[in-house]
Amino acid sequence: MATYGERLEAALAKQITVELAERGMTQKDLAEAVGIGRPAMNHYIKGHKSMPMPTFFKVAEALGLTAQVLMERAEARLS
């Protein structure tokens, strides 16, 4: 069984995907806004690699959210 952290990371990836769709953004758009390559962003969103905290904060900002709101929305997916 997956740990809470693993489940939360998966929920966060799903929430980022939802936020992108709601804004009509692509992974490439988000990667450029954050200052990383699209392949790296894809690894984070697909769950192949854990997202570093500084990147997480930049992702939230690029989506027009606070890190807290993005995390709360991801946590809500666990219920």
Side-chain angles (χ1 to χ4, degrees):
M1 185 168 177
T3 67
Y4 176 79
E6 291 166 340
R7 291 185 3 254
L8 182 57
E9 220 169 357
L12 181 59
K14 176 65 177 172
Q15 189 62 40
I16 290 169
T17 300
V18 168
E19 300 292 342
L20 286 173
E22 287 178 356
R23 289 161 179 75
M25 292 176 71
T26 65
Q27 285 184 21
K28 182 181 179 200
D29 296 332
L30 183 58
E32 288 174 358
V34 171
I36 63 174
R38 195 212 50 82
M41 183 60 69
N42 184 264
H43 284 295
Y44 300 143
I45 292 177
K46 296 293 184 186
H48 300 298
K49 196 173 178 185
S50 293
M51 185 182 298
M53 287 304 294
T55 302
F56 169 72
F57 288 117
K58 290 177 185 176
V59 164
E61 184 177 341
L63 293 171
L65 302 170
T66 64
Q68 180 180 350
V69 168
L70 182 54
M71 186 60 71
E72 286 172 351
R73 290 179 181 180
E75 280 187 307
R77 293 185 164 282
L78 298 178
S79 307

